[in-house]
Each structure stands twice: as structure tokens, then as C-alpha cells.
Amino acid sequence: MNTDELAATAIVTVVAFVLVFDGQAGVSFAFLLVAVAAYVGFRFAPVVASVYLTAAGTVAIVATIADRGPFGSITDPEMRAVVVRVFVLVQAAISLTLSWAIRERHELMRGLAAARREADERAQLLDAVTDRLEYGVAVIDE
């Protein structure tokens, strides 16, 4: 994991939180956090994505309770709770889905590379064996 990239992502995340939850009333930049969640999910391991989601969810809930941010202006407390929960759920779905899919892809690529190396080694062994033969080889499938 690249620590410089992680540090830069943390700074961008803090700036996005400030823009979303401490900006002018009536101006909503909540979509910025969705983009950050997608980036975190795409670039980092599921553990890092989970830490991001914990921070994002905590900030969203605390800010909403304090009547800040895009969800703080909702007057009905039940509707406000539903909206902030859905927001956190969408963030989690995006970030974790991407993170797990990318992780699975990396594992499959490592397995593919190992299988390729094994196949190359077997091909070299077969070539070495057939180069040493003075007579032909018959393969019979019954």
C-alpha cells in the first residue's frame, strides 16, 4: 500500500467532509463523498475502505444530529435518520463492493501468473525430455 497515496486520500477526504457538512446552507456537495468512497474502494484494501466508511458514517450522523450538512435541514427526525442511513448504506455498497472486487481480481491475477509459470516449467521439461529421445513417442488414448 502506498502511504503517500493514503495520506493524500485522507486529506481529500477531510476537505470533502468539510465541504459537505460545514458548507453554506442550501448548497449540497454530498455527491463528493460518493466519489471519494468509490476511489477508496477502487484503490485500497477492504480494511481501509471499512475505516473510511466508519469515519464517513460517523461524521454524517454527528453532523446530521447537530443540524449541519445536507441532511440537517430535514425537519422530520425519522425521515432525517432514514436519509442519513441510506446515505451511509450507499457509501458502504460502493466502497466495499469495489474494494472486494478489485481484491478478488488481484488474487485471480496472481493465481493466473502462478499457473502460467507452472505451465512454462512443464513445457520446458517436456521439451528437454523429447530432445533426448532417439526414437519416437506414441501417445495412445483408449
Side-chain angles (χ1 to χ4, degrees), residues 30 33 118:
L33 293 179
E118 184 179 333

Side-chain angles (χ1 to χ4, degrees), residues 6-142:
L6 186 59
T9 302
I11 292 169
V12 168
T13 300
V14 169
V15 169
F17 284 155
V18 169
L19 283 173
V20 170
F21 292 107
D22 199 30
Q24 288 181 329
V27 178
S28 178
F29 290 110
F31 63 89
L32 289 176
L33 293 179
V34 174
V36 174
Y39 181 78
V40 168
F42 187 75
R43 293 295 299 160
F44 298 105
V47 171
V48 176
S50 297
V51 170
Y52 167 79
L53 290 170
T54 301
T58 301
V59 169
I61 291 167
V62 169
T64 302
I65 290 171
D67 295 331
R68 307 282 310 204
F71 314 123
S73 62
I74 300 172
T75 56
D76 182 21
E78 290 178 8
M79 182 55 72
R80 184 189 307 187
V82 168
V83 170
V84 77
R85 285 178 187 159
V86 169
F87 177 75
V88 172
L89 179 67
V90 167
Q91 293 248 62
I94 291 169
S95 187
L96 290 176
T97 301
L98 280 172
S99 185
W100 281 105
I102 296 299
R103 178 182 176 169
E104 182 180 22
R105 180 179 178 266
H106 287 303
E107 289 175 0
L108 289 172
M109 293 299 286
R110 279 193 296 267
L112 180 62
R116 175 64 186 224
R117 280 191 303 275
E118 184 179 333
D120 288 343
E121 290 171 1
R122 286 185 176 189
Q124 288 174 354
L125 179 62
L126 181 61
D127 287 345
V129 168
T130 55
D131 287 345
R132 298 284 183 203
L133 289 177
E134 294 180 25
Y135 302 103
V137 174
V139 176
I140 301 171
D141 186 22
E142 291 185 37

